[in-house]
Structures are given as structure tokens and as C-alpha cells.
Amino acid sequence: MSPESKKLFNIIILGIAFMFMFTAFQTCGNVAHGNYLWSVLSFKFDYTISGCHCRTSALYVCKWFILQPFPWSFYTASVFIGIAAAVLWTAQGNCLTINSDEHTIGRNSGIFWALLQSSLFFGNLYIYFAWQGKTHISESDRRTVFIALTVISLVGTVLFFLIRQPESENVLGEDESSDEQDLEVNESAQNTMAKAVDAFRKSLKLCVTREMLLLSITTAYTGLELTFFSGVYGTCIGAVNKFGTEEKSLIGLSGIFIGIGEILGGSLFGLLSKNNRFGRNPVVLLGILVHFIAFYLIFLNMPGDAPIAPVEGTDSTAYIRSSKEVAIFCSFLLGLGDSCFNTQLLSILGFLYSEDSAPAFAIFKFVQSICAAVAFFYSNYLFLHWQLLVMVIFGFFGTISFFSVEWDAAAIVARGSDYRSI
């Protein structure tokens, strides 16, 4: 197998492994809204463990001991989810970067994202058919779902062991090879804590650079809209009593169409990235326009008190007659817009920081997790129109900040300088 084929193989395995694991995670997220603790905890470990290999993400399997909705088990599992998410996503960014170059990072980001978001389709398809017509979810139903999701998550964890170490494309002389081996020996002798401190310092320095500060605004928006489409919007759909007995199964159908949007976006941008002469900005612009359309339709179609409605649901009226078709169409738009932002963020981070990507992806997850946690918190108190307004504001400024970084990078490339020097 050639070096390029091996790298592509690694990306596909990485995407399939994430697909299995997030079939479990995102299906659960669509039917259990209200837990934001995992997002708060996940950022605490991003810096110190940023050098871990992809296979350390096996810790992520611990998330699935929420088999009973007891508060102690729910929050204890949330702690483990937070710890494991930090390892998983930082390692994912590093794995994506070392298996890509400046010509393939866009394609690989799209392939990975399309495979990852396929998880929304399969799990929610089961939820839609299994829970169709049900207004109450029994303990037996919950147990069946979570046992199945646990097995699926384990399969995804095992797949990480198929990822191979990519071969270096640079052919070194004997002296250079010898020096590198000596360096590896010295590095292996370093204290683990010293490595963690060094990674933390690198992350702090990177955090205050102009490019990372600007990209953090875009990342913050992805955290807010992640919370909205993965938890809040499904809750809104399930709370609208006017949808009748289908309101619970519509949550699963919403997840399916979010997944379709994500898969379509990831596949499309992955295929087009190789021949894209206009950079990443048009994709991000498409993403924000799609999201603004979705937010406006949701504002018209959903009652304002849907996110904070009691267990019995809400009988409040929206600005238009609440339509199941419009609600599901908005799910598709939310997924498509999300894929626009995330594929381009993964691409530009892997491109800008290819030589030391772990701190960059740690900061990415740090900011995204904080904002997701904040959004989960205020989603329990704010009416729907205020939540949409917050996302519109952050989305607008996040798009402008992304444009700025991409324009600076394009200008440096045009002058013949190293893209990573910005």
C-alpha cells in the first residue's frame, strides 16, 4: 500500500470509527436533553493530554453506563464523557492532520465529516420507527436502546486499532535519520508531567495569536449551534402538542434529516475541495446563509416557549401554523449549515498548524465546549427567539472573523510565503 493510500485508509477508518461511536452518542443526545456538564468538563483536559494517540480514545466507551435515568449515574457518566471527549477530539485533530497535506486536508476533512455524521442517520432511524406513536418511553424501551448503543460504541472503539502509523514522505540522509532517532530516545526519557506542561504552554501562546482569536469566534458559534441542533431543537419538536402522537418519533426523524444535511455537506465539500479555486470562504458563507434561513423558519414555526415547556408539552401557537414538514426541513438546513462550518474549520486548522496540530485542536475543542455548555445552561431559561438571536449575532461575527483569517492566509500564499507562517 502506497503512503498516500495508507493515509486515506486511516482517514476512512477514523471516520467509520467515529460513525459507530457517535451513532450511540448523538442518538442519545437527541432523546435526552438537559445535560451540559460533559461540555464543561471536557475542556479541562484538552491541553494536558493533547499529545495522546488516537487509540487512547478507547476511554470514550465509559460514557455508556447511563442505563438508568438516576441523577447520580447521569452526572457521574457526564464526568467520564468530559474526560474522554477531550482525549478523543484532540487526538482526532492530530490524526487528521498527520494523514493529510496542504492538497488533501480539505478532501480528508470532508470525508471524515461525512462518515462521522452518518451516525445521525442510523441511530435516529431506529428511534423513529421504534418510538413512532409513543407518548411515553418505558424503562424497557430505554434499556433496549442503550444496550444496543453500548455495543455499537464498543465496535467503534475497536476500529481505532486499525489505524496505522503514516509513513513520512521526506527521505532523510543517514545523519539526519540518526539525529532523529537520538531525539526520539531523549524525548521518550522526558517526564510525562513535563510534556503536559510544555503542551499547556504551547496552547497558551497559541491562544493569544490573532488568527486563533479570530477563529475562536467562529468556533464559539459552532458550539452554540451544536447545542441547539443536538439538544434544544429536538426538545422543541417533542414539546409541540399540536404535532399529535408523532411528536416523539419526530425527534428521531429530525435527527435523520440533520444527518442527511451533514452527510451531503461533508461529501460535497470533500469532493469539491480539490478543485476549489475560491478558498474556504464561499462554503462558510453558504453555511451562514443556510443557518439564517433555518433560524427564521424555526422562529415562525415553533412556539416561543417550546425550549422551556414542561413535560406535558406546550399548546402555545407560533407565528404560523406549526408544520411538521417545515420543522423537518429546518433540521436538514441545520445539518447542512453545520457541515459547512465544521469541515472548513477542520481544514484551516489542519492547514495552518500542520506541524503541531494538537494544541490548535485542543483550543478548538476548549472554546467549542465552553460555548456548548453555556448554551445548554441558558437553553433551560431563555425563550426560543432569544436563543435564535444569540446564534444570529455570533454567526455573523464568526463568519466575518473566518473570512479575515482566510484572506490573510490567501494573501501570504499569493506572495509565495509559507501558509503556516501566519
Side-chain angles (χ1 to χ4, degrees), residues 287-307:
I288 198 62
L289 292 177
V290 167
H291 269 177
F292 281 175
I293 294 171
F295 295 157
Y296 180 66
L297 291 176
I298 292 170
F299 172 73
L300 295 176
N301 192 54
M302 289 288 170
D305 62 345

Side-chain angles (χ1 to χ4, degrees), residues 223-234 236 295 298 307 334 375-376 384 387-388 391:
L224 298 178
E225 55 98 6
L226 168 66
T227 292
F228 184 78
F229 80 74
S230 65
V232 178
Y233 189 57
C236 291
F295 295 157
I298 292 170
L334 290 173
F376 264 119
L384 180 61
Q387 296 189 40
L388 294 173
M391 289 190 293

Side-chain angles (χ1 to χ4, degrees), residues 33 231-233 235-237 239-240 303-314 316 375-387:
H33 169 56
V232 178
Y233 189 57
T235 300
C236 291
I237 293 175
V240 179
D305 62 345
I308 56 176
V311 177
E312 294 78 16
T314 178
S316 301
F376 264 119
F377 177 77
Y378 71 60
S379 69
N380 292 315
Y381 301 97
L382 294 183
F383 282 88
L384 180 61
H385 56 274
W386 293 115
Q387 296 189 40

Side-chain angles (χ1 to χ4, degrees), residues 230-377:
S230 65
V232 178
Y233 189 57
T235 300
C236 291
I237 293 175
V240 179
N241 291 335
K242 293 184 178 180
F243 287 155
T245 57
E246 295 182 355
E247 60 184 19
K248 300 303 180 186
S249 62
L250 280 176
I251 298 175
L253 189 61
S254 171
I256 291 171
F257 275 85
I258 290 173
I260 292 173
E262 297 274 14
I263 296 166
L264 177 63
S267 303
L268 183 63
F269 306 138
L271 291 173
L272 295 181
S273 64
K274 198 168 185 180
N275 298 316
N276 185 9
R277 296 174 294 175
F278 304 102
R280 301 172 180 86
N281 285 347
V283 178
V284 172
L285 179 61
L286 172 64
I288 198 62
L289 292 177
V290 167
H291 269 177
F292 281 175
I293 294 171
F295 295 157
Y296 180 66
L297 291 176
I298 292 170
F299 172 73
L300 295 176
N301 192 54
M302 289 288 170
D305 62 345
I308 56 176
V311 177
E312 294 78 16
T314 178
D315 294 309
S316 301
T317 57
Y319 287 96
I320 62 174
R321 183 178 180 181
S322 295
S323 166
K324 293 178 285 188
E325 290 77 15
V326 173
I328 297 304
F329 178 64
C330 290
S331 298
F332 169 78
L333 294 181
L334 290 173
L336 179 61
D338 181 66
S339 70
C340 293
F341 277 94
N342 279 283
T343 55
Q344 303 314 300
L345 276 171
L346 291 175
S347 175
I348 199 168
L349 287 173
F351 204 177
L352 292 175
Y353 307 105
S354 60
E355 295 181 356
D356 193 13
S357 62
F361 282 96
I363 295 171
F364 168 75
K365 193 61 186 175
F366 172 88
V367 175
Q368 190 179 65
S369 297
I370 290 178
C371 293
V374 171
F376 264 119
F377 177 77

